[in-house]
Amino acid sequence: MARKKIREYDSKRLLKEHFKRLAGYELPIKSAQVTQATDFNELAEKEPWLLSGKLVVKPDMLFGKRGKSGLVALNLDLSQVAVFVKERLGKEVEMGGCKGPITTFIVEPFIPHDEEFYLNIVSDRLGCTISFSECGGIEIEENWDKVKTIFLPSGVSFTSELCAPLVATLALEVRTEIEEFIKVVYALFQDLDFTFLEMNPFTLIDGKPYPLDMRGELDDTAAFKNFKKWGNIEFPLPFGRVMSATESFIHGLDEKTSASLKFTVLNPKGRIWTMVAGGGASVIYADTVGDLGYASELGNYAEYSGAPNEEEVLQYARVVIDCATSDPDGQKRALLVGGGIANFTDVAATFNGIIRALKEKESKLKAARMHIYVRRGGPNYQKGLAKMRTLGEEIGIPIEVYGPEATMTGICKQAIDYITAAA
């Protein structure tokens, strides 16, 4: 399960689109998304409700505490919303220690209300935790003692009896409505493969629940069975995270292949770089460098898996090597071409792409004083390792090669010893 955050606009869109299918009635949710490309006249034509009442506008950027940070404007008309957005769109703000520009807003009807409720559902390996409070809103943390929580094991039906502890203290006139709402939201949570859903707050409009503020996360590995239900879903980068040109290039490769190609620059001036086969192995290598006290020298996180073809590996390796060898400063650097023991990936075939890239980048590797450490096992690994040893002799670059007889992360310690040794 891979939990990916989605925008509030998409959380509410999914809730609105699928609530009626599961509950038999429609939630009167209205919302519009505003970005740099938005023309407010065209938006008003598409969403005429924007001209018929007062509005709320706030950033839709995967960070919380917007109200406490003065980033929510209430009771505005559309022209005032346009001014509010124009003054803030593209401007850098700092939230939770992260800085970044505001690029996306959500606009909704202004809903006067007296009651604020809190609802949260989180999934884990064994089931779901469901939390509810009749004291929601921006002071929820101060009123956390009033939050009621139950755990619903996987495969167990969410009955009224199980829901009772959450709603027991509600007034009789709203208890049934809110109980049914919680049960339908849970059913929607399961049906759409949400992993996290929070409404803080939701209120009652004409006796019906209405979410005022909502956060959601989806299991993106379930996209293959939900692409029609999810529609045009976006998984934005975390706030403050902007892809570099090289990261964007790899992201583009990843989207076009059935394999997996991941690349994130952690420290452009780092002296230890990785090109690791397998998602689990890639994390283990990065963690090992950190555990040995050299996280600050780790240049990147990189993972290729799912048997990418030679051309895909070649393009991928070119990017990793270019970043690893940029701006040589006379200090030693190390490249870890690591991995566990593959189940079905032909090690020699994937190494062909890496070997071609290393040959192309010979001069850059030498200028960066790069030492390469290889550790791999799996189908055809002996042939792949032999090719790597021969390559080192051909291009005159130190390449130390190990198979499954060596510990998977032993080359991490060797790389650290190399970059820290006296010249």
Side-chain angles (χ1 to χ4, degrees), residues 115-343:
E115 298 172 297
E116 293 189 333
F117 304 96
Y118 172 82
L119 176 63
N120 177 275
I121 307 176
V122 182
S123 67
D124 63 25
R125 287 177 179 268
L126 301 178
C128 290
T129 300
I130 307 173
S131 301
F132 171 78
S133 175
E134 51 204 281
C135 299
I138 62 174
E139 304 300 332
I140 183 65
E141 293 175 358
E142 289 79 355
N143 291 295
W144 199 252
D145 60 316
K146 297 182 175 64
V147 175
K148 307 171 190 70
T149 298
I150 64 170
F151 180 77
L152 192 64
S154 298
V156 174
S157 297
F158 191 20
T159 63
S160 295
E161 289 74 21
L162 292 174
C163 189
L166 298 177
V167 298
T169 59
L170 289 172
L172 288 174
E173 58 268 23
V174 299
R175 186 183 304 170
T176 300
E177 189 68 45
I178 291 180
E179 177 189 316
E180 287 304 310
F181 178 69
I182 294 173
K183 287 160 66 178
V184 172
V185 171
Y186 173 75
L188 185 145
F189 181 95
Q190 297 285 79
D191 183 71
L192 296 178
D193 287 289
F194 274 89
T195 58
F196 175 93
L197 187 151
E198 182 179 77
M199 299 179 192
N200 185 38
F202 73 88
T203 191
L204 296 175
I205 303 299
D206 298 326
K208 298 293 184 183
Y210 188 101
L212 298 175
D213 196 286
M214 187 171 172
R215 294 195 295 146
E217 298 178 13
L218 295 172
D219 177 1
D220 75 336
T221 63
F224 73 97
K225 68 186 183 79
N226 287 314
F227 63 93
K228 289 185 178 179
K229 292 179 183 177
W230 290 353
N232 187 25
I233 199 74
E234 177 193 6
F235 294 108
L237 291 171
F239 177 70
R241 176 87 172 86
V242 179
M243 278 192 185
S244 66
T246 51
E247 291 168 334
S248 295
F249 178 78
I250 297 298
H251 182 70
L253 286 179
D254 183 56
E255 289 186 325
K256 296 171 186 175
T257 178
S258 60
S260 176
L261 300 169
K262 302 293 187 289
F263 180 71
T264 302
V265 176
L266 303 175
N267 176 13
K269 297 184 181 301
R271 292 192 288 156
I272 298 175
W273 292 76
T274 66
M275 190 168 9
V276 179
S282 63
V283 174
I284 291 171
Y285 275 90
D287 283 351
T288 300
V289 174
D291 289 344
L292 292 172
Y294 284 84
S296 62
E297 290 290 0
L298 191 60
N300 70 312
Y301 167 81
E303 174 245 322
Y304 67 94
S305 58
N309 63 45
E310 182 176 329
E311 189 63 29
E312 290 168 341
V313 175
L314 171 62
Q315 294 187 63
Y316 180 78
R318 283 170 174 163
V319 170
V320 176
I321 296 168
D322 280 342
C323 290
T325 59
S326 66
D327 301 321
D329 55 6
Q331 296 193 81
K332 298 175 181 178
R333 304 184 192 188
L335 174 63
L336 305 177
V337 182
I341 301 175
N343 293 319

Side-chain angles (χ1 to χ4, degrees), residues 32-34 38-48 50 78:
Q33 191 174 69
V34 176
T38 300
D39 182 301
F40 276 91
N41 292 327
E42 293 178 0
L43 185 64
E45 288 182 13
K46 180 182 177 183
E47 307 285 356
L50 289 167
L78 187 59

Side-chain angles (χ1 to χ4, degrees), residues 84-138:
F84 181 89
V85 169
K86 183 178 180 180
E87 291 175 347
R88 292 161 180 80
L89 193 63
K91 299 296 175 61
E92 186 177 89
V93 297
E94 182 172 350
M95 300 296 295
C98 296
K99 293 182 179 180
I102 298 177
T103 62
T104 308
F105 289 83
I106 183 171
V107 184
E108 304 171 292
F110 175 61
I111 308 290
H113 58 280
D114 298 318
E115 298 172 297
E116 293 189 333
F117 304 96
Y118 172 82
L119 176 63
N120 177 275
I121 307 176
V122 182
S123 67
D124 63 25
R125 287 177 179 268
L126 301 178
C128 290
T129 300
I130 307 173
S131 301
F132 171 78
S133 175
E134 51 204 281
C135 299
I138 62 174

Side-chain angles (χ1 to χ4, degrees), residues 277 304-308 341-350 376-381:
Y304 67 94
S305 58
I341 301 175
N343 293 319
F344 60 89
T345 300
D346 187 321
V347 174
T350 54
R376 194 74 167 105
N380 218 6
Y381 82 91

